[in-house]
Amino acid sequence: MTSDETKRKLREMRLNAMVEILEVQEQQPEYQQMDFEDKFELIVDGAYARQQSNKLSRLLQSADFPSIEPALAEIDYLPDRKLDRKLIQKLATGNYIREHHNIILMGASGNGKTWLANALGIEACRQFYKVKYVRLPELLDDLAVAKHEANGNFHKILARYKKVDVLIIDEWLLTELSLEQSTYVLELVESRLHQSSTIYCSQFAPDGWHNKLGNPQIADAILDRIIHDAYPILIQGDKSMRERYGLRGDSV
């Protein structure tokens, strides 16, 4: 029987999971027949699994996904969607994150861009990468407010986004940007270049982005930093996912 003092020390060292597993073992007769090494191995395995589960929960919560239900294993590879199964299986390994490559998801509204982006993001969380989901209008508002504050929050926010391993930007260039907004986007893209990965969800192919970024020089600089080494995925379909399954929104 483990003493209360030993349990107190374990809790003080923030090893609460080990204490809980110890207490379970002490109440189960079958554990009493095991030698110390086997019991200790079970305690460590249980505590480690608990720690990993808690870490995943924190990552999923901080990512701000619209939903944590999407999963790559549940992708519907219907013929008319023309999804490349091998490419998605390759992306599921997370190598694109380690290599700091981007993903460009394209398709009409309701074809599942947000769903697929979230599924990729959730898989990244399961590999213990930091992920952040944000709509471009919200991101631009966040940067605009910080830019006009005198306390230097703009660079703090850029640094915060830079630290995210996978940034999912939804509603990418749905409308035209002002010169000021395009400048914010360039600074963000530049800060993440060769440092991290970004998933862009857009109704338009990159050929149509240029006119929405206003200033030609800034547009060239942004596209050059995004498109190089990016994985383009066009999600097609004779019907939207809403029509197929009666679900609402693009996040299906």
Side-chain angles (χ1 to χ4, degrees):
M1 185 72 69
T2 307
S3 70
D4 290 340
E5 178 62 14
T6 297
K7 292 178 183 178
R8 184 194 67 77
K9 291 176 180 177
L10 287 170
R11 289 193 178 96
E12 191 174 314
M13 291 187 291
R14 299 183 180 180
L15 299 174
N16 294 332
M18 293 187 71
V19 175
E20 292 173 11
I21 297 167
L22 265 172
E23 291 175 342
V24 171
Q25 285 190 359
E26 290 172 350
Q27 295 173 14
Q28 303 293 330
E30 58 267 25
Y31 288 114
Q32 307 308 318
Q33 309 303 319
M34 299 171 63
D35 59 31
F36 173 79
E37 183 176 343
D38 289 339
K39 287 196 288 186
F40 185 69
E41 187 173 305
L42 287 174
I43 292 171
V44 172
D45 287 347
Y48 180 78
R50 182 83 59 84
Q51 182 189 61
Q52 298 296 87
S53 178
N54 291 340
K55 182 178 180 180
L56 175 58
S57 295
R58 290 193 298 271
L59 287 170
L60 290 172
Q61 184 175 9
S62 64
D64 290 330
F65 294 118
S67 169
I68 59 171
E69 294 182 1
L72 294 179
E74 297 177 3
I75 292 175
D76 204 339
Y77 291 96
L78 294 169
D80 63 301
R81 301 189 80 196
K82 298 181 180 179
L83 289 172
D84 188 335
R85 187 188 296 265
K86 288 185 178 180
L87 174 57
I88 292 175
Q89 289 174 340
K90 177 181 178 180
L91 296 174
T93 66
N95 281 338
Y96 76 97
I97 306 172
R98 290 181 281 277
E99 295 170 354
H100 310 310
H101 291 175
N102 299 321
I103 298 174
I104 301 173
L105 298 178
M106 300 164 284
S109 176
N111 273 12
K113 299 183 299 296
T114 300
W115 191 97
L116 180 53
N118 286 338
L120 288 165
I122 290 167
E123 182 59 34
C125 286
R126 294 189 182 283
Q127 297 175 31
F128 301 108
Y129 289 107
K130 293 182 180 179
V131 181
K132 175 69 175 177
Y133 169 91
V134 66
R135 296 169 53 252
L136 181 61
E138 294 173 349
L139 172 60
L140 291 174
D141 286 347
D142 196 17
L143 292 172
V145 170
K147 188 70 172 182
H148 294 94
E149 291 180 351
N151 55 10
N153 274 348
F154 182 79
H155 293 291
K156 290 179 182 178
I157 291 176
L158 277 183
R160 187 177 69 202
Y161 280 114
K162 181 180 179 180
K163 293 177 182 178
V164 175
D165 298 307
V166 181
L167 178 62
I168 300 172
I169 306 181
D170 206 353
E171 300 180 15
W172 173 254
L173 298 181
L174 196 59
T175 59
E176 293 183 8
L177 303 190
S178 66
L179 176 60
E180 183 180 41
Q181 290 173 326
S182 295
T183 303
Y184 297 159
V185 169
L186 177 58
E187 292 195 50
L188 175 64
V189 170
E190 176 65 29
S191 72
R192 295 179 55 77
L193 186 63
H194 305 313
Q195 301 290 326
S196 45
S197 299
T198 305
I199 300 177
Y200 299 90
C201 301
S202 177
Q203 292 188 28
F204 310 98
D207 289 345
W209 294 359
H210 205 278
N211 291 336
K212 292 181 176 294
L213 288 167
N215 183 283
Q217 289 75 30
I218 293 179
D220 286 342
I222 291 172
L223 266 65
D224 180 64
R225 286 159 174 77
I226 291 177
I227 297 173
H228 181 65
D229 288 338
Y231 291 99
I233 299 178
L234 175 61
I235 306 177
Q236 303 184 58
D238 297 332
K239 295 181 178 180
S240 72
M241 301 306 286
R242 289 192 291 266
E243 293 175 298
R244 293 181 201 273
Y245 303 113
L247 300 174
R248 299 191 311 164
D250 195 41
S251 304
V252 300

